[in-house]
Amino acid sequence: MTLYSPRTRRRRLGVATAAVGLLAALFAAGPVSATPDPGDKSSAPKSVSKSTEAEVEKAISAGDIPGQDEIVHSDNIQHVTNIPKEALPGTNSDLAFQGKYAFAGNYDGFRVFDISNPKAPKTVAQVLCPGSQNDISVSGNLLFLSTDSSRSDDSCASTTQPATEKSSWEGMKVFDISDKANPKYVSAVETACGSHTHTLVPEKKNVYVYVSSYSPSATFPDCKPPHDGISVIKVPRKAPQKAAVVNFPVLFPGEGADGGGNPGAPTNPGVSKTTGCHDITVLPSKDLAAGACMGDGILFSIADPENPKVIDQVQDNVNFAFWHSATFNQKANKVVFTDELGGGGAATCNEAIGPDRGADGIYDITGKGDKRKLVFKSYFKIPRHQADTENCVAHNGSLIPVKGKDLMVQAWYQGGVSVWDFTNSAKPKEIGYFERGPLTTDAMTTGGSWSAYYYNGYIYSNDIAKGFDVLKVNDARTDPAKKIRLGELNVQTQPDYFG
């Protein structure tokens, strides 16, 4: 089997003077200090120089990159179908799954798909409820939605309002999804600095929600520094209207307004100052969590879910700009952290940036109990250079459950979807891919796969601009995963696939 398509994939982009000049402002001082993920509305295209435009068009003509919107993939990946956007025009974001349903976040709300036939998903519901990022999770009859943009109130009819106004609202919304075709909004909880992402720690009677948020300001009445922890919400399953914040554990204790996280520049140029966490992944079967917290990666215990306890804290001030997300392997002896170099809006998958920045960092977990440590082993980055009009960087992915192997599928924005193997922590390798050519050749336009997750035999990708993609991987290395069936999947709440 030939892994890659006949396309030569030389991809010597990013080395022309114009391309390097385009990136100079971003990377002159080392890794760029990442901005948050795209805002309330889809990012407007940003013009590039004529020379960069010519370089991209030349690369397409030479076969070095796919043509505009052209789909290419390795021989072991099948593009099953695509469902374009419908009523919700905003940026597509995260995904969650339950039974025969997929739940797709969008900055304008969320969409529910019936995926009982993955070849022909059907839209069951579209809920208008604006508020970035609308990070989404489900548990039983409850759906959780993050709001990380300042709104006039907590309703789905709210409008944008400055965070400097005391009456503004940001936080978590809770819906009843007992009727998938008619989700009902039941409650909301305001949280400090909003909810950029969230992670569920489900229990029988209650669901705990870890809320990640950051970027405080002395001018924000409800988001003042220091902001060096996470909000913990307790949601009673039988009375979700009683959901409330029950704790704000400080994960980065320290003196002064900056806490004990990464100080960022000027101490560490180009690295984001830690003012909270971007995303947390929990592994309830092991009472563990991994936090991707801007300038820091952390490992912590969730044996007491209301009072998480940090076990280890690491930094990479050479190649990581913004610790974005985390994934455990099934044995809980490794964590993959992603670096969102450029905030998800920059062209960082080219030769100029190289293989180590904007990549995954693979860490082994050594030791036992509270003495466990995160030990860096290697970086992984997709081996195909992208155009300088394509935003591309490591983003959301999930395990592909195969016993004895550490396999993962991952979104890379306009870098597409990558399937890779990190069984050997020091020598990760890609084993399959799917991608589209650039959205545009004359401007930097935000798009590509936000989340790519494996669920019950298929890969589902939520593309920022193109909609909902269904992929299938046919490979002897991943085929055993087809036997694993789940009733529910929130990727940031990792299941015990084999327990």
Side-chain angles (χ1 to χ4, degrees):
M1 176 183 292
T2 302
L3 176 60
Y4 296 113
S5 67
R7 193 173 295 277
T8 60
R9 318 300 277 166
R10 294 188 297 274
R11 302 284 185 96
R12 294 187 60 80
L13 297 183
V15 295
T17 302
V20 173
L22 177 69
L23 294 164
L26 284 176
F27 302 106
V32 68
S33 178
T35 57
D37 296 333
D40 253 332
K41 302 296 181 183
S42 298
S43 299
K46 298 178 182 178
S47 297
V48 297
S49 67
K50 289 294 182 181
S51 57
T52 297
E53 181 181 351
E55 179 76 10
V56 173
E57 292 176 349
K58 179 181 178 182
I60 291 174
S61 298
D64 293 343
I65 64 172
Q68 189 171 345
D69 285 338
E70 178 188 359
I71 289 175
V72 296
H73 52 81
S74 54
D75 293 343
N76 57 355
I77 300 289
Q78 174 189 354
H79 186 211
V80 178
T81 193
N82 169 266
I83 308 298
K85 292 181 181 180
E86 293 180 337
L88 305 176
T91 296
N92 279 335
S93 58
D94 211 4
L95 294 168
F97 305 89
Q98 187 179 86
K100 66 176 185 178
Y101 298 100
F103 302 83
N106 177 286
Y107 278 37
D108 288 325
F110 65 92
R111 190 174 179 183
V112 183
F113 292 97
D114 180 337
I115 55 171
S116 52
N117 179 3
K119 296 179 181 179
K122 296 179 180 178
T123 299
V124 175
Q126 298 187 74
V127 177
L128 179 64
C129 196
S132 71
Q133 301 186 119
N134 279 341
D135 192 47
I136 194 167
S137 297
V138 294
S139 183
N141 288 330
L142 301 178
L143 180 147
F144 303 85
L145 206 62
S146 285
T147 300
D148 191 37
S149 59
S150 187
R151 313 296 298 179
S152 56
D153 56 52
D154 64 4
S155 75
C156 286
S158 67
T159 57
T160 58
Q161 183 169 291
T164 52
E165 294 190 22
K166 176 62 179 174
S167 62
S168 294
W169 184 91
E170 298 180 64
M172 288 296 309
K173 293 169 182 167
V174 184
F175 291 77
D176 183 324
I177 53 168
S178 51
D179 180 357
K180 303 296 188 293
N182 295 286
K184 296 180 180 178
Y185 182 22
V186 295
S187 65
V189 180
E190 186 171 15
T191 54
C193 301
S195 175
H196 194 71
T197 65
H198 68 269
T199 304
L200 304 187
V201 185
E203 295 190 337
K204 187 174 182 179
K205 294 182 178 180
N206 305 297
V207 180
Y208 288 97
V209 186
Y210 290 169
V211 175
S212 296
S213 56
Y214 53 92
S215 295
S217 169
T219 65
F220 299 163
D222 299 318
C223 181
K224 292 181 179 292
H227 182 74
D228 46 15
I230 58 173
S231 297
V232 179
I233 298 174
K234 183 178 181 180
V235 185
R237 290 189 183 275
K238 293 185 178 180
Q241 70 276 8
K242 295 182 179 179
V245 175
V246 293
N247 196 12
F248 187 87
V250 174
L251 302 178
F252 303 97
E255 297 181 0
D258 295 334
N262 199 315
T267 304
N268 297 314
V271 179
S272 292
K273 175 182 176 181
T274 298
T275 59
C277 290
H278 178 277
D279 209 350
I280 292 169
T281 293
V282 298
L283 190 57
S285 62
K286 304 291 186 182
D287 287 333
L288 279 178
C293 304
M294 304 182 73
D296 295 86
I298 58 173
L299 182 71
F300 54 103
S301 167
I302 57 168
D304 178 357
E306 286 191 24
N307 297 281
K309 178 183 177 182
V310 175
I311 296 172
D312 195 25
Q313 175 181 351
V314 292
Q315 297 177 357
D316 179 346
N317 296 317
V318 176
N319 287 312
F320 262 47
F322 187 93
W323 295 66
H324 178 275
S325 53
T327 302
F328 287 100
N329 69 337
Q330 185 58 47
K331 291 182 179 179
N333 60 8
K334 299 176 188 176
V335 181
V336 174
F337 287 103
T338 69
D339 173 29
E340 195 181 45
L341 178 67
T348 69
C349 296
N350 52 31
E351 192 171 6
I353 304 307
D356 296 340
R357 295 159 68 188
D360 295 319
I362 304 165
Y363 286 74
D364 282 355
I365 301 174
T366 63
K368 295 181 179 180
D370 290 350
K371 293 185 179 180
R372 282 173 285 195
K373 297 291 183 182
L374 292 165
V375 179
F376 175 77
K377 300 300 290 186
S378 67
Y379 297 107
F380 170 77
K381 193 171 183 179
I382 56 173
R384 297 169 308 287
H385 291 154
Q386 305 296 308
D388 284 330
T389 58
E390 292 181 280
N391 61 306
C392 174
V393 75
H395 216 241
N396 295 348
S398 76
L399 291 183
I400 299 178
V402 175
K403 270 191 175 181
K405 298 289 185 181
D406 296 325
L407 306 176
M408 187 171 173
V409 57
Q410 187 175 1
W412 288 78
Y413 287 130
Q414 286 195 71
V417 175
S418 177
V419 177
W420 60 291
D421 183 335
F422 64 104
T423 307
N424 182 339
S425 302
K427 294 183 178 180
K429 59 183 179 180
E430 184 174 75
I431 61 175
Y433 75 92
F434 165 89
E435 69 164 298
R436 290 181 171 90
L439 284 169
T440 52
T441 60
D442 60 351
M444 166 60 73
T445 305
T446 300
S449 179
W450 179 289
S451 297
Y453 299 147
Y454 185 92
Y455 178 69
N456 291 352
Y458 290 83
I459 293 168
Y460 297 91
S461 167
N462 212 17
D463 188 287
I464 290 171
K466 293 298 183 179
F468 186 69
D469 285 306
V470 183
L471 311 175
K472 192 171 186 180
V473 55
N474 297 294
D475 190 294
R477 292 163 289 191
T478 61
D479 284 348
K482 296 176 182 179
K483 298 177 182 179
I484 304 296
R485 312 299 291 183
L486 299 177
E488 189 172 274
L489 177 64
N490 301 294
V491 168
Q492 287 74 35
T493 306
Q494 284 191 218
D496 184 348
Y497 288 103
F498 310 113

